[in-house]
Each structure stands twice: as structure tokens, then as C-alpha cells.
């Protein structure tokens, strides 16, 4: 069952724009993160072991080589010949503008690369960086700014040691939009202390900011993280697969059709993943989402009511047993 029948996916959007398939290829440009290197914090987010993004990152080839080998793999598996270079690992705006431009250009200079998607933190996008991205966009390249928010609840952000608050995200989105940049916001379902109501409210707040893209994934426990300690001590219970599917489907239905979903689940490699085990199998989740929508005749945006924002208060009796701590 094709997910794109029910959801406005990035793949479909790129197909419409370019008339052929365009696939993301992940780039590890060797950045660090200010929440890990001591500038803003140490240890990073409680769930972060960045090796889970790109296993084997220690023998990292250059950007040109990463794009080249990515292109070969993508074409072999999907048939796509055009690429969106996704600067994914760590914080991909955490350097001076000259160096950033150099790194981004190394990807953009390759013929089959249509643009860049840059993953970063809301507190790491100063005006000169946004100006650079806007300049790249003005040159005719596709540019997405991917902001990791995860939750709009400051107490949750503190609990997982994000090192920024929701207001910081709102301000970053506003400055990006002033420059005409498209923003994709990353949200995690099943964060410690959060239930389905938190996810609904976070979605509503993010949509109020007018974001153009969303990325959803379940919180997974990977090795060598503080979350792994909490999970081992029984202080964190991951989501069940069906609970994740049900909640993701509801959020998709609450999202206007013009918003593009870049991702609806996340995976970690077998070597790193501790729990939940179902996070190893991306397609079971994707098929679960599209199957549920097909069975019920649902589609993205069918729960949206124009100008009506979901603001139902949190109430403990309606909380689901999602991602709770003890
Ligand atoms: S902001 Fe991203 S890279 Fe930095 S610690 Fe958190 S999850 Fe890891």
C-alpha cells in the first residue's frame, strides 16, 4: 500500500517539483553539537548517541565521496537519479559561515544534487547562517531547514536535556520564514513524561508557526545514553508499536494537506538499539500507518477544521500510557 495515497510525503513533493524521483542521501560533515561539547551543555540530549544516525561514522569519507556512494546506492535500490543532500549528523550549522558554505557547496556542486536539507538545533541558527541558506536558495537550489524541537513542553525539553526552550524554536522559525526558508520540524513521540495529549498540543503549536514540513519518530533507546540507564532502571517505558501507529495516524489527520511529511518513523541499527525492538523494522510501521488509513478511508488533514487549533487541556484520565516515567 502506497503511503503517498494518504500522506503528503517529501518523495511525492519532490516528484511533483522535478518530474522524477529525488532521494535524500545522508551526509556526515563532521560537525559537533553545542549540547555535547560544553558550549551549551555536556552529554547532549538524554537519548542521543549520534552514531545511531549513521553507523560506522568513525571512518567518515569526504562529502563528495559520501554523495557519490550514496547516489550509487540510491539508484540501485530506488531508481532515483537525483539527490537531496541531507546534512544529518549532529548540528549542521555549528561552524562559521565560510566553512558552512564550503561544506554545503561540496554537495551542491555535484550535478545530480538538487539541494540541501540541513538538520540543526533552534538555538544554532544565527542570522548569518540563515542568510547563507537563503542565498543558496536564491541561486536556485532547494533548501530545507530541519529544526529539532521534539516537544513544545519546556519541562520535557529540560527533562531530556535539550538545552533550549520552545520560545527559542518559535523565534528561529520566525527568522527563517522572514528569509523565505522552508522549515521542517522534528518531533518525537513517547518522550519521558509525555502522553498523546502532549503530542497533540505540540503538533498544534508547531502548525501555528506555519511550518512547511514535519518529521515524526518514536523515541528509541540506544546504547551509551542516559535514556538507556533510565530504561534499565525501569524509569522509562517505550511506546508499543500499535500505540505509535495510532498516534502518528491521528497527528497526520490533524495536519493540513499542504504540510509535507519528511518522515513518519525512525530506525536505529541493530548494534545500537536497546528498545523498543520494533524500531528496527521501519516498513512494518509505515505499512501499519498506511494500512490503518486505508482501512478507515482516512487521509492527511481530514481532522483539520479551518482556523480551529487543538487546545484541549491535558487531563490525566485521558492520558495514554505512552512514554511515561515513573
Ligand atoms: S541536539 Fe542533536 S546532536 Fe545534539 S545532543 Fe541533542 S540529539 Fe544529539
Amino acid at each position: 500500500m502506497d503511503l503517498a495515497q494518504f500522506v503528503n510525503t517529501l518523495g511525492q513533493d519532490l516528484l511533483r517539483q522535478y518530474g522524477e524521483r529525488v532521494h535524500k542521501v545522508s551526509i556526515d560533515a563532521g560537525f559537533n553539537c553545542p549540547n555535547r561539547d560544553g558550549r551549551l551543555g555536556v552529554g547532549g540530549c538524554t537519548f542521543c548517541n549520534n552514531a545511531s544516525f549513521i553507523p560506522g561514522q568513525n571512518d567518515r569519507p569526504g562529502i563528495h565521496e559520501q554523495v557519490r556512494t550514496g547516489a550509487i546506492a540510491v539508484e540501485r535500490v530506488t531508481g532515483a537519479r537525483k539527490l537531496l543532500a541531507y546534512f544529518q549528523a549532529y548540528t549542521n550549522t555549528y561552524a562559521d559561515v565560510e566553512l558552512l558554505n564550503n561544506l554545503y557547496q561540496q554537495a551542491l556542486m555535484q550535478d545530480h544534487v538538487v539541494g540541501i536539507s540541513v538538520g540543526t538545533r533552534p538555538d544554532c541558527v544565527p542570522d548569518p547562517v540563515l542568510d547563507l541558506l537563503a542565498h543558496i536558495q536564491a541561486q536556485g537550489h532547494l533548501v530545507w531547514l530541519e529544526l529539532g524541537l521534539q516537544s513544545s513542553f519546556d519541562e520535557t525539553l529540560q527533562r531530556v536535556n535539550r538545552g533550549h526552550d520552545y520560545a527559542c524554536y518559535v523565534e528561529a522559525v520566525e527568522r527563517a520564514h522572514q528569509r523565505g526558508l522552508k522549515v521542517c520540524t522534528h518531533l518525537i513521540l513517547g518522550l519521558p513524561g509525555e502522553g498523546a495529549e502532549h503530542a497533540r498540543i505540540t503538533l498544534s503549536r508547531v502548525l501555528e508557526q506555519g511550518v512547511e514540513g514535519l518529521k515524526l519518530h518514536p523515541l528509541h533507546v540506544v546504547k551509551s545514553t542516559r535514556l538507556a540507564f533510565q530504561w534499565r532502571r525501569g524509569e522509562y517505558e517505550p511506546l508499543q508499536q500499535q500505540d505509535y501507529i495510532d498516534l502518528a495516524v491521528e497527528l497526520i489527520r490533524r495536519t493540513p494537506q499542504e504540510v509535507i511529511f519528511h518522515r513518519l518513523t525512525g530506525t536505529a541499527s541493530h548494534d545500537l538499539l536497546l528498545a523498543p525492538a520494533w524500531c528496527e523494522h521501519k516498513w512494518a510501521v509505515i505499512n501499519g500507518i498506511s494500512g490503518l488509513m486505508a482501512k478507515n478511508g482516512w487521509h492527511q488533514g481530514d481532522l483539520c477544521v479551518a482556523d480551529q487549533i487543538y487546545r484541549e487541556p491535558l487531563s490525566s484520565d485521558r492520558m495514554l500510557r505512552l512514554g511515561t516515567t515513573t
Side-chain angles (χ1 to χ4, degrees), residues 31-37 42-50 53 88-92 119-123 148 150 160-164 188 226:
F31 289 102
N32 203 335
C33 171
N35 198 25
R36 295 171 62 102
D37 71 2
V42 286
C45 306
T46 59
F47 49 80
C48 177
N49 172 337
N50 219 260
F53 293 166
Q88 179 179 19
Y90 287 85
T91 302
N92 294 272
T120 188
R121 297 166 52 87
D123 57 357
Q150 322 312 354
V160 300
N161 196 41
R162 280 293 295 176
H164 65 77
I188 295 180
R226 272 182 279 174

